[in-house]
Amino acid sequence: MVRTRTRQKTSAHTTSASASTTTPSTPSISSLLSKAQDLIIQCDYSLARKFSERVLAREDATSTEKSQAREMLAVTLLETGDVDSAKEIFLTLVPPHPEAPSPPPPSAYLYLAQLTDDDPHAALAHYQSAIDLLQTQLKGKSISTGNTPEDDDDAEIKGNIVRAYLGMIEIWMDPEYDLWQAPFFFSSQSSSSSLTPSSVLGSVDPAASTTCDALLSHALQIDPQHLEALQTLASVRLSQEKPDEALLALRTFPSPPVQDDSDAATADPRSHAHLLLDALPIQTRIARAKLLLECGAYPDALSILEGVVATDDTIIEGWYLMGWTWWLLAERKKEDDVAATVGPDEDGRELEWQDMARDARDCLETCQTLHASQGHPDIPLVEHVKELISSLDALGIQPSPLEEEDDNDGEWEEVSEDDGENEDIEMT
């Protein structure tokens, strides 16, 4: 009905200028760009691509608007798997391409850095270009508006700068590029007599080590308590054989926000840290747990892994690492290691090594089941799981018994018709 009335009103003004009759049916460029952005956020990439292409087809779009549309089009292509076409479009947004805007968008450089996996030096240059542009935005914004560091826009810019530095460090530590000859990694292939995480520490290039330290310093100057930056710092420190410094970085968290005096008394740093960790991507949390295991902080690693499987109980690596962590704790508990103490169970009883070993077996059995059902390709992982289960068998550790179902489960209580005749609810 609304559409009919609108058309009738328009047709009544036949003497109006043509622009006034076509404007309602011609969306503005800004509305098309906004719609495309919203669709990208909603992960509707095919429709977002159409809106981006509509902007590029419009003759009244400015060069800035067309640049924005090209970037959105590249994002839709990237997200739908057309990586080469996406990269070609991103290259049109940066010099020396003649259609590149001035200044170019930092995001284009960030995308190109991640897409240039065949040339580490070019990728590093893209990251640095993005950082330079973002630093300029940050300085200009502070000078022109006087916004505080707590401002949301400032936080987003700072976050992008930190992530760019971390991307550069990742390249330096990637063994494929041979820039860092001894990157930290976590090996799942160990004998049952020495089931501990390991680092491969060959000849470390001093220049690469110094470069990573400098990049980390820059990142932490932007945000001293950025969790992923501190996690990367821990990885580098482990590669430099400095486990104490690595653990300190992993246990550093921002203080809980305090809005007023009443919040100060109730703010719990430990709960706040758990909230921050749970907000990290699952793979980042798994990597963090590996670093904590390398540091020997088994209870810390266990806490993170419990959060991982609580978020997604189909993550095979999460169950594997949690089973391994319980196994390591049980081994140390047998030796009366005080560091292997974990909080009491539901009955308030301190866990014995047999309890920990049984928890390890439960996790490993779950991992083995998921590995088979998902057809997971990691054969060394499942072989290690079988090895651990065999060692638990030798110790007489069996899986926890399945919980018995309630005797009344599956039974229906008979109710006479009279019992419910007055329970009807009238729907109006």
Side-chain angles (χ1 to χ4, degrees):
M1 295 296 293
V2 175
R3 281 187 162 186
T4 303
R5 287 198 298 269
T6 302
R7 280 200 291 266
Q8 289 172 348
K9 184 175 181 180
T10 303
S11 61
H13 296 279
T14 55
T15 59
S16 300
S18 59
S20 64
T21 59
T22 58
T23 298
S25 62
T26 305
S28 66
I29 301 296
S30 61
S31 66
L32 292 174
L33 291 171
S34 179
K35 183 63 176 178
Q37 182 64 49
D38 290 342
L39 290 167
I40 289 175
I41 294 173
Q42 298 167 18
C43 300
D44 191 346
Y45 302 115
S46 59
L47 192 55
R49 176 178 178 177
K50 293 180 180 180
F51 276 87
S52 301
E53 290 173 337
R54 286 180 64 183
V55 174
L56 294 173
R58 289 276 291 269
E59 295 182 357
D60 57 334
T62 66
S63 59
T64 299
E65 290 168 335
K66 289 196 173 184
S67 295
Q68 294 173 1
R70 289 207 308 277
E71 182 174 1
M72 291 188 204
L73 176 60
V75 170
T76 63
L77 292 170
L78 180 62
E79 294 293 346
T80 53
D82 194 348
V83 178
D84 292 337
S85 297
K87 185 175 180 180
E88 289 180 7
I89 296 177
F90 282 127
L91 286 170
T92 68
L93 297 169
V94 301
H97 196 277
E99 295 183 9
S102 181
S107 53
Y109 279 115
L110 292 175
Y111 278 114
L112 286 170
Q114 297 174 63
L115 296 175
T116 311
D117 53 3
D118 57 339
D119 186 348
H121 298 288
L124 290 169
H126 288 317
Y127 274 127
Q128 188 59 57
S129 296
I131 289 171
D132 292 341
L133 288 166
L134 290 166
Q135 292 276 23
T136 301
Q137 286 183 7
L138 193 60
K139 292 177 181 178
K141 190 170 180 294
S142 299
I143 294 173
S144 61
T145 68
N147 287 338
T148 63
E150 290 76 22
D151 179 81
D152 289 342
D153 292 339
D154 276 3
E156 182 178 357
I157 294 173
K158 289 181 177 181
N160 286 332
I161 294 173
V162 171
R163 282 186 285 273
Y165 279 125
L166 298 185
M168 296 176 77
I169 295 168
E170 185 178 347
I171 291 174
W172 277 99
M173 295 180 71
D174 193 325
E176 291 185 8
Y177 299 140
D178 203 26
L179 297 174
W180 177 276
Q181 298 179 22
F184 168 81
F185 82 103
F186 192 87
S187 174
S188 63
Q189 304 180 48
S190 306
S191 65
S192 59
S193 60
S194 179
L195 296 171
T196 57
S198 63
S199 298
V200 171
L201 295 169
S203 58
V204 178
D205 184 352
S209 178
T210 302
T211 300
C212 286
D213 279 341
L215 293 171
L216 275 168
S217 177
H218 291 317
L220 291 170
Q221 284 177 6
I222 297 295
D223 188 349
Q225 295 184 320
H226 191 283
L227 290 187
E228 293 185 55
L230 290 167
Q231 185 167 318
T232 302
L233 173 62
S235 180
V236 172
R237 290 293 177 263
L238 281 171
S239 294
Q240 297 168 340
E241 300 185 75
K242 299 176 181 179
D244 292 340
E245 294 183 22
L247 186 56
L248 177 62
L250 291 169
R251 288 177 170 172
T252 300
F253 294 94
S255 300
V258 178
Q259 302 297 332
D260 52 46
D261 294 338
S262 63
D263 291 335
T266 58
D268 180 9
R270 188 176 182 84
S271 298
H272 182 61
H274 280 300
L275 288 174
L276 293 174
L277 290 173
D278 289 344
L280 293 174
I282 283 181
Q283 289 304 318
T284 302
R285 284 186 270 170
I286 288 177
R288 190 181 192 88
K290 293 176 182 179
L291 294 172
L292 286 164
L293 287 173
E294 179 78 4
C295 294
Y298 305 127
D300 299 58
L302 186 62
S303 176
I304 289 178
L305 292 168
E306 287 174 341
V308 168
V309 298
T311 302
D312 186 348
D313 60 6
T314 66
I315 299 294
I316 291 175
E317 194 174 11
W319 286 108
Y320 161 64
L321 290 173
M322 190 158 66
W324 192 359
T325 304
W326 277 120
W327 193 98
L328 293 168
L329 283 166
E331 285 289 293
R332 280 148 184 77
K333 186 67 174 179
K334 280 199 301 182
E335 301 169 359
D336 294 325
D337 186 345
V338 294
T341 301
V342 181
D345 61 14
E346 295 178 354
D347 299 326
R349 182 178 60 88
E350 182 178 338
L351 295 178
E352 301 296 335
W353 76 265
Q354 294 93 338
D355 302 313
M356 298 176 178
R358 189 175 298 107
D359 285 340
R361 173 126 195 193
D362 292 342
C363 293
L364 295 168
E365 295 279 3
T366 301
C367 175
Q368 190 170 232
T369 300
L370 289 172
H371 191 282
S373 64
Q374 296 179 13
H376 199 278
D378 194 337
I379 302 302
L381 182 147
V382 75
E383 288 178 349
H384 189 209
V385 168
K386 292 177 180 178
E387 188 178 356
L388 290 171
I389 291 176
S390 295
S391 70
L392 292 169
D393 269 333
L395 293 170
I397 302 298
Q398 297 301 313
S400 299
L402 295 175
E403 294 183 4
E404 295 183 3
E405 295 184 357
D406 194 326
D407 292 339
N408 293 326
D409 284 354
E411 296 182 3
W412 293 89
E413 181 181 355
E414 293 186 4
V415 180
S416 66
E417 294 181 2
D418 293 340
D419 292 337
E421 65 181 4
N422 293 323
E423 299 294 330
D424 294 339
I425 299 175
E426 184 179 356
M427 302 297 292
T428 58

